[in-house]
Amino acid sequence: MNELIGRVFDFQKNVFPQRSALYQNLAANGQSPKALIISCSDSRVVPEEILQAAPGDLFVCRNAGNIVPPFSNANGGVTSTVEFAVMVLGVRDIIICGHSDCGAMKALMKPGSLETMPNVAAWLRHSDAAFSVVRDGYPELSGPEQARAAALENVVVQLAHLRTHPSVASGIARGEIALHGWFFDIHNGVVLALDGASGRFEEISEGNPMPVALAAQKRFAAGEPLLEAAE
Ligand code: ZN
């Protein structure tokens, strides 16, 4: 048997018994995850490990390229996951996490490499804006540096897509949702976070304020209806 598949026996025998109280509580009372993270499917990027998350802590959606298609009438797994997390679970923090050495980003920058993978090619069209930004804005880059720039710009693009989803847009307007754009460097374990004010990624370090892409703050374009009503 594949050694990995066989580890389920170890989980049942050794891991679950130690955590049975936690699992019993989650089974009886349901889940109330503290955040939604949308990250790449890459096996080297493990959100639960990066965030030291226990069962019940983190609602996770992973796909090639940590992509969030913009809202449309077409149904989709990412769209449905976002809607459920916000509307049912009441998640208030959403993280989009890209990473170094991302195969999707390398393919994005080499469109010809996708001729035999029509589904991947179609999926990566949701990152076309990142491709254009890197092609036109960083013409001097190539290879790993270009892929890194694409991964960073792709997080920015996917955060913009996220805001087109009605559940997210409503939560942002009411000041109930914060957005986070992260980049995980596999080589050294460093996590960069997008600072929405400067538009740049900065290293997350203990003792410094956490850079936030979009802080939770009421944003009513037509004024603050609740405050006006109270006056
Ligand atoms: Zn990746």
Side-chain angles (χ1 to χ4, degrees):
M1 181 188 288
N2 180 323
E3 179 270 334
L4 175 69
I5 306 298
R7 288 187 210 167
V8 68
F9 298 122
D10 182 59
F11 170 78
Q12 291 178 322
K13 189 174 161 192
N14 298 313
V15 178
F16 187 84
Q18 292 175 10
R19 286 193 143 166
S20 62
L22 172 61
Y23 278 107
Q24 294 303 326
N25 182 40
L26 289 168
N29 300 312
Q31 62 171 331
S32 185
K34 300 176 178 77
L36 162 65
I37 185 164
I38 297 153
S39 70
C40 190
S41 296
D42 192 299
S43 62
R44 300 164 296 178
V45 180
V46 184
E48 290 86 346
E49 182 151 298
I50 295 169
L51 288 169
Q52 300 286 289
D57 280 346
L58 201 54
F59 206 63
V60 181
C61 182
R62 296 175 71 172
N63 63 64
N66 41 273
I67 284 167
V68 180
F71 181 76
S72 73
N73 291 328
N75 192 12
V78 180
T79 300
S80 304
T81 301
V82 168
E83 193 173 87
F84 184 81
V86 172
M87 301 298 292
V88 178
L89 301 176
V91 163
R92 286 169 165 252
D93 287 276
I94 305 177
I95 305 160
I96 295 180
C97 185
H99 67 99
S100 62
D101 197 39
C102 181
M105 293 302 106
K106 289 193 241 179
L108 176 72
M109 299 314 298
K110 278 190 188 154
S113 66
L114 295 169
E115 280 177 6
T116 58
M117 291 184 281
N119 284 295
V120 177
W123 179 243
L124 288 179
R125 293 208 62 186
H126 295 304
S127 296
D128 271 356
F131 171 81
S132 295
V133 170
V134 174
R135 180 195 60 197
D136 302 338
Y138 307 79
E140 74 283 6
L141 295 187
S142 62
E145 289 78 21
Q146 186 189 55
R148 184 179 188 278
L152 294 172
E153 294 292 352
N154 182 55
V155 169
V156 175
V157 168
Q158 304 313 324
L159 283 168
H161 290 173
L162 193 54
R163 296 184 67 170
T164 68
H165 290 252
S167 59
V168 176
S170 175
I172 288 172
R174 287 179 283 115
E176 294 181 353
I177 288 180
L179 302 183
H180 309 266
W182 287 6
F183 174 88
F184 174 62
D185 193 326
I186 295 169
H187 301 89
N188 54 21
V190 167
V191 178
L192 307 179
L194 177 64
D195 176 46
S198 69
R200 297 187 62 123
F201 280 81
E202 295 169 7
E203 194 171 320
I204 293 176
S205 59
E206 203 171 4
N208 292 323
M210 174 76 79
V212 179
L214 189 75
Q217 183 185 358
K218 283 183 185 171
R219 288 172 170 81
F220 286 112
E224 293 246 4
L226 297 176
L227 285 178
E228 285 172 8
E231 284 172 359

